[in-house]
Amino acid sequence: MEEKGTISIHTENIFPIIKKFLYSDHEIFLRELVSNAVDATQKAKSLSSISELKGDLGELKVTVKVDKEKKQIIISDNGIGMTAEEIKKYINQIAFSGATEFVERYKDSNADKSQIIGQFGLGFYSAFMVASTVEIDTLSHADGAEPAHWTCDGSTEFTITTGSRTERGTDVILNIAEDSEEFLEEARLQTILNKYCKFLPIPVEFNGEVINNPNPLWTKSPAELTDEDYKNFYKELYPFSEDPLFWIHLNVDYPFNLTGILYFPKVKNEFDFQKNKIQLYSRQVFITDEVKDVVPEFLMLLHGVLDSPDIPLNVSRSFLQADANVKKINTYITRKVADKLNEIYKKDRTAYEEKWNDIAVFVKYGMLSDDKFYEKAKDFALLQNTEGKYHTLEEYRALVQANQTDKDGNLVILYTTDPEKQHAFIETAQNRNYDVVKLDTMIDPHFIGQLEQKLEKTTLKRVDADTIDKLIQTDAKPESVLSEEETTRLKELFEKAIANQNMTVGVEALSVDDQPVIITLPEFMRRMKDMNRMGGGGMMMMGNMPDMYNVTINANHPINHRILKHNDERGEKIAKQAYDLALLSQNMLSGAALTAFVKRSVELIDKE
Ligand code: ADP
């Protein structure tokens, strides 16, 4: 038998368009052809299971071979095969018309082309991106079928002859084009197979070795898996990573189909976060690692795999965002993550607390970006205080309710962004039995804002935002021992000694045990500056504005009484010294001012 024919399609010369169009994605030809081969074996299996397959099913597998001499890549399977009629129908008509449709619909669009291909039956046609001619050598499973051989150079002309294959299945032979000889390199093929075919459901052999894991963990039932299994699979996905903190095995089949495993990675610091570490599969065929839109933004920091045949890959990004299934998947994943965290929190609070610092950024990011997640997470989000104890938001409010309120009756949560630098202030707060929480990560300025919005009658104040008795209203506030005249004189003396208009001097009655001079930066000022630094809108003028500090002179401190007594140059010198000490305790003294301070200190010691 020999038959020559013309494939009837409406557009002439679609091929050059496709080739150019998909230029950067030529490598996906291998994914398409290997997936077709896998599909053919799966069909054989289905037929066999209903006793519709003649002869033995045999051991199903797909083999990829390279023949460098002949410049061929051969993809073989022992699937259902095709008759000559089927080739004409499925390859000549469907595959080719799929390609035509593809070009017509997408030549002017910016859609992600590589994701569209499979959906249009361009799958097979993609062989022509790398091959000058393609041959199919096949024997159908059907009773009395004759082997068939098909050749085509990608144009609309094809030839079908009787083939020589004696066993059920198909060889697709690619005669690699001159400009695609890179694909004859074994290392290159290995890389491509690794990327797309690593978890295909039947063995794929290359160079005599099976390159895939046909039963990846996510396809198994969670009940039969151990922690070790999950950790090992994580290593398989990310060979050089530390063990993950924990994981979530997803498994839904209604109203959409989704399986997968999401891992919470262990990250050493906040700059370590890598997005695009989640791989998206469709029936175990790798599609992409850009899961934006499918996974909520705040969970992009997770690692792992998602597998869903229900995620439409044939549409543009904006369409994907609006897709009902994608939205449902998004909501589902968010809920699952929240439930899992809640479960760990409930089951073993100590273990959860140990992990808190590693997961805090996910949780906070989630609370900030998704209201539904906030509602769940507010029960298991923790605040850690400077003594290392953890409380939930409600527990913490209950803890400080009795003695931490401001003059308007709001509950005050004191926080530190740097326990080392703000040590003096933390100590002062602790001396009054107040509690201080640590909010020292990059996301915390936003988180603080959110807590103030969400928690009723609660404000958060950085521990060095003002003197402690101004931050928190107390009945035990000491009286000033100074007269009005002395107070004014002390203020003027310090103003003269400091001589800096960015420093607003005030005298306040504090405890004798507090520092003689305290420098604070008001909360609103710091927040404005923070916002400005983080690119918050509309605050441009803050960038050039110097910090306006408050300098509080402790009316009850003996040093300040001595300063008043020496109402002369000596008094001014001590005032300067006390002020410099306050600066020093906050790491704000440097350069010439630091040198002057050291000199003055030496003189003062000398006089002792
Ligand atoms: P799709 O796989 O999306 O249907 P393709 O262009 O990749 O589109 O393939 C067209 C059709 O050709 C397939 O649906 C299948 O019927 C047939 N086919 C392709 N490859 C094989 C193969 N290795 N064995 C049997 N049939 C095949």
Side-chain angles (χ1 to χ4, degrees):
M1 161 186 107
E2 163 153 341
E3 181 182 338
K4 283 191 190 294
T6 306
I7 295 161
S8 60
I9 48 174
H10 303 300
T11 319
E12 288 296 316
N13 275 336
I14 53 167
F15 186 62
I17 304 177
I18 288 181
K19 194 161 173 168
K20 202 169 132 213
F21 195 29
L22 295 169
Y23 186 73
S24 57
D25 296 312
H26 284 184
E27 65 177 33
I28 56 104
F29 78 92
L30 197 57
R31 170 181 81 184
E32 297 304 316
L33 297 178
V34 174
S35 313
N36 278 349
V38 168
D39 287 349
T41 61
Q42 303 279 55
K43 284 177 193 159
K45 197 165 157 187
S46 306
L47 288 179
S48 165
S49 71
I50 52 168
S51 311
E52 293 273 311
L53 193 80
K54 191 174 62 93
D56 264 357
L57 181 62
E59 216 174 290
L60 297 174
K61 74 169 179 187
V62 173
T63 313
V64 179
K65 277 190 294 238
V66 199
D67 187 330
K68 274 198 154 176
E69 301 272 288
K70 290 193 188 156
K71 302 196 171 163
Q72 287 179 336
I73 297 174
I74 303 143
I75 296 108
S76 315
D77 66 69
N78 54 355
I80 52 170
M82 284 178 278
T83 61
E85 284 313 305
E86 282 167 337
I87 295 182
K88 280 191 264 177
K89 185 165 162 206
Y90 295 129
I91 304 291
N92 291 355
Q93 288 172 24
I94 298 179
F96 276 63
S97 67
T100 315
E101 189 185 345
F102 173 78
V103 168
E104 278 171 0
R105 280 189 58 176
Y106 286 96
K107 67 183 162 204
D108 301 320
S109 105
N110 293 320
D112 189 347
K113 287 111 191 167
S114 66
Q115 299 194 356
I116 304 163
I117 296 172
Q119 308 292 318
F120 280 87
L122 187 65
F124 178 80
Y125 203 98
S126 64
F128 291 106
M129 294 196 298
V130 297
S132 50
T133 52
V134 178
E135 299 167 49
I136 297 176
D137 217 358
T138 179
L139 174 62
S140 162
H141 69 98
D143 239 348
E146 280 206 15
H149 184 267
W150 174 91
T151 326
C152 179
D153 62 2
S155 72
T156 48
E157 311 290 319
F158 69 92
T159 311
I160 291 190
T161 57
T162 307
S164 55
R165 205 181 154 104
T166 54
E167 281 173 14
R168 187 196 73 218
T170 305
D171 289 338
V172 174
I173 302 151
L174 309 178
N175 295 287
I176 298 299
E178 231 166 75
D179 63 1
S180 297
E181 286 184 8
E182 59 184 282
F183 293 109
L184 292 168
E185 296 303 327
E186 293 190 352
R188 180 74 200 271
L189 286 182
Q190 185 86 50
T191 310
I192 303 171
L193 287 169
N194 232 326
K195 180 167 169 192
Y196 295 104
C197 305
K198 207 165 159 191
F199 297 115
L200 284 178
I202 69 147
V204 177
E205 231 179 71
F206 178 60
N207 271 345
E209 268 179 54
V210 175
I211 57 97
N212 60 328
N213 168 2
N215 303 302
L217 217 62
W218 77 83
T219 62
K220 296 180 184 169
S221 151
E224 60 191 52
L225 299 173
T226 64
D227 286 3
E228 259 339 276
D229 292 331
Y230 285 104
K231 285 182 192 167
N232 288 338
F233 184 60
Y234 188 74
K235 284 252 151 62
E236 194 178 332
L237 292 172
Y238 316 103
F240 300 105
S241 302
E242 266 192 74
D243 276 351
L245 294 167
F246 46 82
W247 45 85
I248 301 167
H249 198 140
L250 305 166
N251 199 339
V252 230
D253 43 32
Y254 183 81
F256 49 85
N257 205 303
L258 176 77
T259 49
I261 300 173
L262 291 178
Y263 289 96
F264 277 71
K266 187 155 175 87
V267 275
K268 286 189 208 74
N269 59 55
E270 294 176 54
F271 308 101
D272 228 23
F273 284 119
Q274 288 180 17
K275 291 192 171 181
N276 291 337
K277 286 285 230 173
I278 299 177
Q279 303 174 355
L280 189 61
Y281 290 79
S282 176
R283 298 180 212 276
Q284 293 174 241
V285 182
F286 174 79
I287 305 296
T288 177
D289 49 14
E290 280 183 35
V291 294
K292 204 165 169 285
D293 303 328
V294 178
V295 174
E297 169 88 20
F298 77 96
L299 292 176
M300 300 266 292
L301 306 172
L302 300 185
H303 294 176
V305 292
L306 294 175
D307 189 338
S308 175
D310 292 335
I311 297 171
L313 301 168
N314 57 333
V315 288
S316 69
R317 183 126 276 165
S318 57
F319 201 89
L320 193 60
Q321 283 169 344
D323 184 81
N325 266 338
V326 169
K327 278 208 180 120
K328 280 185 213 144
I329 288 174
N330 234 300
T331 314
Y332 174 80
I333 293 176
T334 305
R335 185 161 52 86
K336 273 305 213 195
V337 169
D339 290 349
K340 179 74 182 188
L341 290 167
N342 198 27
E343 177 196 314
I344 302 174
Y345 160 74
K346 287 231 165 93
K347 211 162 71 187
D348 188 348
R349 169 117 182 206
T350 318
Y352 179 80
E353 287 182 357
E354 275 164 17
K355 286 174 182 154
W356 173 251
N357 287 329
D358 289 309
I359 60 168
V361 66
F362 296 108
V363 178
K364 289 174 182 174
Y365 192 8
M367 291 170 86
L368 282 163
S369 52
D370 185 327
D371 248 358
K372 281 213 186 91
F373 188 81
Y374 180 93
E375 282 312 312
K376 294 198 166 214
K378 70 179 183 347
D379 297 329
F380 54 76
L382 300 180
L383 292 172
Q384 186 188 21
N385 70 10
T386 49
E387 280 156 6
K389 288 211 183 73
Y390 294 93
H391 298 93
T392 63
L393 300 177
E394 275 321 300
E395 286 167 357
Y396 196 76
R397 277 160 53 90
L399 178 83
V400 299
Q401 192 119 42
N403 69 333
Q404 287 186 211
T405 44
D406 66 8
K407 59 180 179 357
D408 303 320
N410 292 317
L411 204 138
V412 180
I413 295 179
L414 291 174
Y415 70 95
T416 171
T417 53
D418 191 333
E420 289 287 312
K421 274 199 190 145
Q422 294 150 20
H423 182 265
F425 291 91
I426 296 170
E427 198 179 77
T428 307
Q430 284 170 338
N431 284 342
R432 284 169 173 67
N433 284 325
Y434 298 146
D435 197 83
V436 182
V437 295
K438 238 168 36 179
L439 289 171
D440 55 357
T441 62
M442 240 157 49
I443 199 167
D444 282 323
H446 300 281
F447 186 57
I448 288 165
Q450 191 188 33
L451 289 182
E452 284 185 334
Q453 262 179 27
K454 297 269 187 183
L455 299 178
E456 229 174 288
K457 288 206 85 176
T458 301
T459 124
L460 282 90
K461 294 265 160 45
R462 203 166 111 168
V463 69
D464 59 351
D466 207 337
T467 53
I468 193 73
D469 296 335
K470 284 218 185 106
L471 292 177
I472 294 173
Q473 190 78 351
T474 170
D475 299 335
K477 192 168 160 59
E479 301 272 328
S480 174
V481 299
L482 298 183
S483 70
E484 225 168 273
E485 182 272 333
E486 285 170 318
T487 307
T488 314
R489 200 146 52 78
L490 187 62
K491 182 171 180 262
E492 283 166 3
L493 224 144
F494 265 97
E495 274 168 349
K496 199 166 155 218
I498 295 168
N500 181 341
Q501 23 169 336
N502 298 330
M503 299 283 170
T504 311
V505 179
V507 178
E508 191 187 336
L510 296 167
S511 155
V512 188
D513 301 324
D514 292 337
Q515 304 293 327
V517 179
I518 295 165
I519 299 169
T520 55
L521 180 62
E523 186 82 19
F524 81 92
M525 181 81 76
R526 182 184 338 272
R527 288 196 195 185
M528 295 254 250
K529 289 210 90 131
D530 277 353
M531 293 273 235
N532 202 45
R533 210 161 12 91
M534 292 183 295
M539 305 266 184
M540 288 318 283
M541 78 291 181
M542 293 299 295
N544 307 321
M545 213 163 140
D547 284 328
M548 301 288 288
Y549 291 94
N550 287 332
V551 181
T552 304
I553 316 300
N554 184 350
N556 294 336
H557 202 282
I559 283 202
N560 293 330
H561 302 160
R562 257 176 74 199
I563 292 169
L564 272 176
K565 227 192 282 165
H566 300 284
N567 195 9
D568 55 10
E569 248 174 60
R570 180 107 190 275
E572 203 182 306
K573 203 174 204 175
I574 306 172
K576 188 102 182 74
Q577 187 73 359
Y579 168 68
D580 279 356
L581 281 168
L583 287 173
L584 191 67
S585 93
Q586 290 201 67
N587 233 335
M588 285 168 65
L589 202 56
S590 64
L594 181 59
T595 311
F597 165 78
V598 172
K599 235 189 210 158
R600 199 182 326 111
S601 301
V602 171
E603 276 169 35
L604 284 169
I605 298 168
D606 224 20
K607 287 196 186 118
E608 283 300 310

